C-alpha cells in the first residue's frame, strides 16, 4: 500500500491510501526514490490550492561508492587481481571479471615461454602454532613458481578476447624480460596490440631467473632499473606501474627511480624471500621437490605488517616529492578482509591487489572485500574512497619526535592535574565544580 499525506498542512496524518496496483507514474516515483541517498518527497499534483496531496517516500541512504579512477583507468572498486595464478589464463580471468573484481593483472609474460619450467609441488604453507602442523590457521604461503609457462601468442590471444568481451573492464598485463632493449620493445608492442589497459612491470620476483637479469635482479639495482624503465616508458603508450621488491633496504629508492623514469604508478610489495621451514621428520626443506628445495617468495597474512610499512614509506615519499601529480600506488600483501584493504588505502594506496587470498578463498572473495570495506566506510561516514585515502599517513613520525610529543603531553597533564592539591585551594564561588573535579565516577 502507498499512503497519501497532505504536504501543505501541519497535520501529518494520512488522508488516503493507494493499493499496490498503482499507476505507472507512481511506480516510477517509487523507483526513483529507491536510488536517492536522502529522504525525498514526490508530489502528485491535484490542481491549484493549499490542499495539494503529496506522496512521501523515504529512501535508505545509498551505499558508499567504491569506484576509483587511477591514471585514467575507471574501476568499479579498488580490488585488483594480483599477478600470479589467479590471472594465468582466459578462463580464470573471465571468472574474476564476472565475480566483480575491479581489475585483473595477468600472470607475468615474456617473449620466450620455453625457458620457463615450473616444478610441482611449488607451494608451502605456514600455519599458526607449531611449524608443520596440519592444524591451525594458514598465516603464511610460500611459492617457488615462475612466470607464465604458456606461449606468449596464446596469452596475447586471450588478452584480446577478454578485452573484446569486457571492453569496459581493466585488464593489466604484467611483463618481464631480459636485459635487452629490443626484447622489451618487442614485448611491449605485441602486448599493447591486444588492447590491454596498462602494464605492470615485474621488477620484483625474488626467485627464478636472476642470472638472466630479470625480476628483482633489476628492481634491486637502481642504475639498471633506471635504464630499463627508460626503455619501457619511451615505448609504452598506456600507463605503466613498476612493481617493487621488498627485498631491499630502502624501498623508496627504486620507487623514486621508477617514477622519475616516467612510470605512472608503483605497486608494492611483491613476495619476501624466504625459507618456509624444515620438515622435522624427513629433515628436508619445504616445499620439497625430489628431496630438495630453493628459497622462494613469502605471502599471505603474515607479510601484511611488512607490506604496510613499505607502502607507508613509498606513500610518504610520493606525497612529499610528487604532490599534485597523477601518480598512483597499489598496495599488496596479505589482504583477506575488507579491513586489510582499508589499512592500505588509509596509508595512501589507490588500489589494493589480492593474489594469495584468491588462491585460499576463491574469486568470490571480492564480494566479501567490498561489503566489509563499505561497512568500514559507513562506520566513519565516508562516502568515497578518496574521503579517507591517505588519512593515516600524517600520523607517522620519528622516534625522537614521539619522545618530544610525549614529554609535552606529560607537562600539559601536570599543569591541569585533576583535583585540588590542598585545603587552602577551595573557593566559595567555584565550590561545586571543585568538588566534582575530584569525583572518580
Amino acid at each position: 500500500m502507498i499512503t497519501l499525506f497532505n504536504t501543505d498542512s501541519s497535520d501529518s496524518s494520512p488522508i488516503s491510501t493507494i493499493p499496490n496496483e498503482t499507476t505507472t507514474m507512481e511506480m516510477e516515483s517509487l523507483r526513483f526514490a529507491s536510488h536517492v541517498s536522502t529522504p525525498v518527497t514526490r508530489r502528485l499534483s491535484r490542481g491549484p490550492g493549499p490542499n495539494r496531496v503529496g506522496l512521501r517516500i523515504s529512501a535508505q541512504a545509498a551505499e558508499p561508492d567504491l569506484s576509483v579512477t587511477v591514471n585514467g583507468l575507471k574501476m568499479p572498486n579498488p580490488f585488483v587481481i594480483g599477478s600470479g595464478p589467479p590471472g594465468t589464463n582466459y578462463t580464470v580471468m573471465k571468472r574474476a571479471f564476472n565475480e566483480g573484481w575491479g581489475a585483473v593483472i595477468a600472470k607475468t609474460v615474456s617473449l620466450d615461454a620455453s625457458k620457463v619450467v615450473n616444478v610441482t609441488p611449488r607451494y608451502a604453507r605456514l600455519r599458526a602454532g607449531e611449524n608443520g602442523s596440519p592444524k591451525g590457521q594458514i598465516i603464511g604461503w610460500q611459492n617457488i613458481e615462475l612466470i607464465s609457462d604458456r606461449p606468449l601468442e596464446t596469452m596475447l590471444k586471450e588478452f584480446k578476447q577478454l578485452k573484446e568481451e569486457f571492453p569496459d573492464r581493466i585488464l593489466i598485463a604484467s611483463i618481464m624480460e631480459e636485459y635487452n632493449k629490443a626484447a622489451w620493445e618487442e614485448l611491449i608492442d605485441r602486448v599493447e596490440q591486444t588492447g590491454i589497459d596498462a602494464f605492470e612491470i615485474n621488477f620484483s620476483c625474488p626467485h627464478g631467473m636472476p642470472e638472466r637479469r630479470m625480476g628483482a635482479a633489476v628492481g634491486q639495482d637502481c642504475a639498471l632499473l633506471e635504464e630499463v624503465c627508460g626503455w619501457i616508458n619511451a615505448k609504452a603508450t598506456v600507463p605503466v606501474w613498476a612493481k617493487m621488491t621488498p627485498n631491499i633496504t630502502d624501498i623508496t629508492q627504486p620507487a623514486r627511480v621508477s617514477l622519475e623514469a616516467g612510470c605512472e604508478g608503483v605497486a608494492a610489495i611483491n613476495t619476501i624471500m624466504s625459507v618456509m621451514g624444515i620438515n622435522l621428520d624427513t629433515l628436508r626443506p619445504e616445499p620439497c621437490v625430489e628431496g630438495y628445495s630453493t628459497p622462494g617468495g613469502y605471502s599471505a597474512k603474515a607479510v601484511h605488517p611488512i607490506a604496510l610499512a613499505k607502502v607507508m614509506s613509498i606513500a610518504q615519499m610520493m606525497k612529499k616529492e610528487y604532490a599534485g601529480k597523477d601518480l598512483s600506488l597499489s598496495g599488496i600483501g596479505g589482504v583477506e578482509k575488507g579491513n586489510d584493504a582499508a589499512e592500505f588505502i588509509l596509508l595512501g594506496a589507490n588500489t589494493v591487489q589480492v593474489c594469495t587470498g584468491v588462491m585460499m578463498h576463491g574469486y568470490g572473495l571480492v564480494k566479501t572485500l567490498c561489503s566489509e570495506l563499505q561497512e568500514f566506510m559507513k562506520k566513519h561516514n565516508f562516502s568515497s574512497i578518496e574521503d579517507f585515502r591517505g588519512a593515516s599517513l600524517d600520523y607517522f613520525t620519528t622516534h625522537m619526535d614521539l619522545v618530544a610529543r610525549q614529554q609535552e603531553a606529560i607537562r600539559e597533564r601536570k599543569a591541569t592535574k585533576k583535583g585540588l592539591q590542598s585545603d587552602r585551594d577551595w573557593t566559595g564561588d567555584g565550590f561545586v565544580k571543585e568538588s566534582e573535579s575530584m569525583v572518580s565516577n
Side-chain angles (χ1 to χ4, degrees):
M1 301 294 288
I2 300 174
T3 305
L4 295 179
F5 298 84
N6 186 337
T7 60
D8 291 312
S9 170
S10 59
D11 180 10
S12 61
S13 59
I15 61 174
S16 65
T17 57
I18 297 176
N20 289 335
E21 295 77 23
T22 181
T23 66
T24 300
M25 180 179 71
E26 291 160 347
M27 291 305 295
E28 283 301 313
S29 296
L30 286 170
R31 277 193 289 271
F32 170 81
S34 69
H35 291 85
V36 180
S37 60
T38 55
V40 297
T41 298
R42 297 285 288 173
R43 292 181 181 271
L44 300 178
S45 177
R46 304 300 186 194
N51 294 320
R52 292 192 298 271
V53 176
L55 177 65
R56 289 181 184 169
I57 303 173
S58 293
Q60 292 183 348
E63 290 290 296
D65 182 12
L66 295 181
S67 65
V68 296
T69 299
V70 184
N71 304 130
L73 308 175
K74 296 182 179 180
M75 306 178 191
N77 58 68
F79 296 108
V80 178
I81 291 287
S83 180
T88 196
N89 60 45
Y90 164 82
T91 301
V92 297
M93 288 188 279
K94 180 178 180 178
R95 174 67 180 274
F97 281 138
N98 285 333
E99 289 287 350
W101 288 85
V104 172
I105 303 178
K107 192 173 185 182
T108 304
V109 297
S110 63
L111 288 176
D112 187 0
S114 67
K115 298 179 181 180
V116 180
V117 181
N118 279 302
V119 294
T120 300
R122 51 182 174 267
Y123 308 134
R125 297 175 294 195
L126 179 66
R127 296 181 182 271
E130 185 177 353
N131 194 12
S133 170
K135 299 179 181 179
Q137 180 186 14
I138 297 172
I139 59 172
W141 186 286
Q142 186 198 31
N143 82 87
I144 54 173
E145 185 161 352
L146 303 182
I147 63 175
S148 178
D149 57 11
R150 305 178 72 223
L152 178 62
E153 291 74 15
T154 300
M155 293 292 283
L156 296 180
K157 289 178 183 177
E158 294 183 357
F159 291 168
K160 186 175 181 181
Q161 185 176 359
L162 282 165
K163 285 305 301 179
E164 289 173 351
E165 294 181 18
F166 299 91
D168 60 339
R169 304 302 294 277
I170 302 303
L171 177 61
I172 300 173
S174 174
I175 61 174
M176 179 198 289
E177 204 29 81
E178 298 184 33
Y179 178 65
N180 183 302
K181 181 180 179 181
W184 276 106
E185 291 177 338
E186 179 185 350
L187 181 60
I188 290 167
D189 182 58
R190 294 178 66 182
V191 175
E192 271 202 12
Q193 289 181 34
T194 66
I196 54 95
D197 300 283
F199 286 111
E200 182 181 81
I201 314 300
N202 189 337
F203 291 132
S204 48
C205 183
H207 56 270
M209 296 169 283
E211 70 282 355
R212 293 167 57 188
R213 302 178 87 174
M214 301 174 75
V218 179
Q220 292 168 331
D221 184 333
C222 285
L224 197 60
L225 178 66
E226 181 180 20
E227 184 177 18
V228 175
C229 280
W231 299 341
I232 293 167
N233 288 298
K235 184 67 176 178
T237 64
V238 296
V240 175
W241 297 356
K243 190 172 184 179
M244 300 285 98
T245 174
N247 303 296
I248 193 166
T249 303
D250 181 2
I251 199 170
T252 65
Q253 293 183 5
R256 182 183 296 105
V257 165
S258 300
L259 296 173
E260 285 293 321
C263 293
E264 284 81 4
V266 171
I269 61 174
N270 206 325
T271 52
I272 301 169
M273 182 67 84
S274 65
V275 171
M276 182 55 78
I278 306 297
N279 185 314
L280 298 182
D281 292 323
T282 65
L283 311 185
R284 300 299 179 106
E286 300 287 356
C288 193
V289 180
E290 310 302 333
Y292 293 82
S293 191
T294 187
Y298 191 44
S299 60
K301 186 183 296 292
V303 310
H304 186 64
I306 300 169
L308 289 176
K310 299 292 186 180
V311 167
M312 180 272 294
S313 295
I314 295 173
Q316 284 186 326
M317 179 272 292
M318 291 177 68
K319 182 177 181 179
K320 180 180 179 180
E321 301 178 23
Y322 300 93
K325 296 187 178 181
D326 184 24
L327 301 175
S328 65
L329 176 57
S330 190
I332 317 166
V335 174
E336 296 181 39
K337 301 287 185 181
N339 285 347
D340 299 330
E343 290 178 305
F344 276 122
I345 298 169
L346 284 164
L347 292 180
N350 302 83
T351 59
V352 179
Q353 296 186 30
V354 187
C355 182
T356 306
V358 178
M359 297 172 72
M360 295 193 294
H361 304 293
Y363 290 90
L365 176 64
V366 69
K367 295 180 174 61
T368 300
L369 294 173
C370 285
S371 64
E372 290 177 347
L373 184 57
Q374 285 182 318
E375 286 302 312
F376 161 80
M377 292 171 69
K378 285 188 281 189
K379 175 182 176 181
H380 294 279
N381 252 358
F382 298 135
S383 60
S384 70
I385 296 296
E386 284 301 313
D387 282 351
F388 67 101
R389 189 173 69 83
S392 299
L393 200 58
D394 289 339
Y395 296 102
F396 288 90
T397 185
T398 64
H399 186 85
M400 291 303 296
D401 185 58
L402 290 179
V403 172
R405 286 174 181 272
Q406 188 159 72
Q407 289 175 343
E408 177 61 25
I410 291 171
R411 284 193 293 270
E412 290 179 358
R413 285 194 291 269
K414 285 182 177 180
T416 58
K417 189 171 182 180
K418 192 173 184 179
L420 304 180
Q421 302 302 302
S422 171
D423 283 352
R424 67 175 178 271
D425 296 330
W426 289 93
T427 67
D429 293 336
F431 190 80
V432 174
K433 289 186 177 179
E434 290 162 359
S435 298
E436 290 177 350
S437 74
M438 293 182 284
V439 175
S440 65
N441 61 355

